[in-house]
């Protein structure tokens, strides 16, 4: 069972997709299995994070912006891949540091996430994008 989810982003940040994934998993009739997610891009990533306090998402976005600043920052002058804009190569670096695939157990017909956990697309580019996440569900 496979499904492609398209997520529209509006710039850097975490975009929660838990609700859409949960509804799809429930509709597949799989009681026990594994949900594998894969993002089809090299400048965005996937993560599981707290979904109760939005400050967590803000702090993560700000942390990674400080960890890997734009290529226009003097500290990044060593970068050579700069022709797609000052946010492009830093976005690739962030995606290399963070997961681009996730495995989530399915138990009793639902994703086995913790109480405060949500699944997110982490957009690393400045402009809006349409990101594709492929979901693959196995089990019985």
């Amino acid at each position: 069972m496979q499904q492609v989810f398209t997520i529209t982003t509006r710039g850097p940040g975490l975009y929660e997709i838990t609700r859409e994934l949960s509804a799809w998993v429930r509709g597949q009739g799989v009681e026990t299995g594994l949900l594998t997610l894969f993002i089809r891009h090299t400048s965005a990533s996937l993560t599981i994070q707290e979904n109760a306090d939005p400050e967590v998402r803000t702090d993560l976005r700000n942390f990674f912006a400080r960890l890997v600043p734009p290529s226009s920052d003097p500290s990044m002058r060593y970068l050579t891949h700069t022709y797609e804009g000052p946010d492009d190569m830093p976005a690739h670096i962030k995606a290399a540091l963070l997961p681009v695939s996730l495995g989530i157990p399915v138990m009793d017909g639902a994703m086995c996430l913790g109480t405060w956990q949500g699944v997110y697309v982490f957009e690393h580019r400045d402009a809006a994008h349409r990101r594709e996440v492929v979901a693959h569900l196995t089990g019985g």
Side-chain angles (χ1 to χ4, degrees), residues 108-119:
D108 298 325
M111 291 188 299
C112 204
L113 294 172
T115 303
W116 307 114
Q117 288 183 318
V119 181

Side-chain angles (χ1 to χ4, degrees), residues 11 13-14 16 28 35 38 42-43 45 51 53 55 57 64 67 71 84 91 102 104 112 116 125 129 133-135 139:
L14 287 91
E16 189 168 9
Q28 301 311 302
L35 174 63
F38 175 75
T42 60
S43 57
S45 53
N51 63 1
D53 185 349
E55 290 178 347
R57 295 187 300 275
F64 278 97
L67 182 67
S71 62
E84 291 183 53
L102 299 172
I104 303 170
C112 204
W116 307 114
R125 296 293 309 267
H129 283 81
V133 175
V134 178

Side-chain angles (χ1 to χ4, degrees), residues 71-132:
S71 62
S72 56
D73 186 285
S75 69
M76 302 299 277
R77 67 178 166 265
Y78 64 90
L79 295 176
T80 57
H81 178 77
T82 58
Y83 56 88
E84 291 183 53
D87 67 319
D88 185 54
M89 189 59 215
H92 292 299
I93 293 169
K94 293 169 191 173
L97 293 172
L98 293 162
V100 294
S101 66
L102 299 172
I104 303 170
V106 173
M107 192 165 49
D108 298 325
M111 291 188 299
C112 204
L113 294 172
T115 303
W116 307 114
Q117 288 183 318
V119 181
Y120 293 88
V121 168
F122 199 161
E123 176 63 67
H124 304 303
R125 296 293 309 267
D126 290 340
H129 283 81
R130 289 175 48 88
R131 301 302 193 175
E132 292 183 348

Side-chain angles (χ1 to χ4, degrees), residues 2 10 59 66 83 107:
Q2 294 182 331
R10 298 170 307 283
D59 288 347
R66 288 184 68 186
Y83 56 88
M107 192 165 49

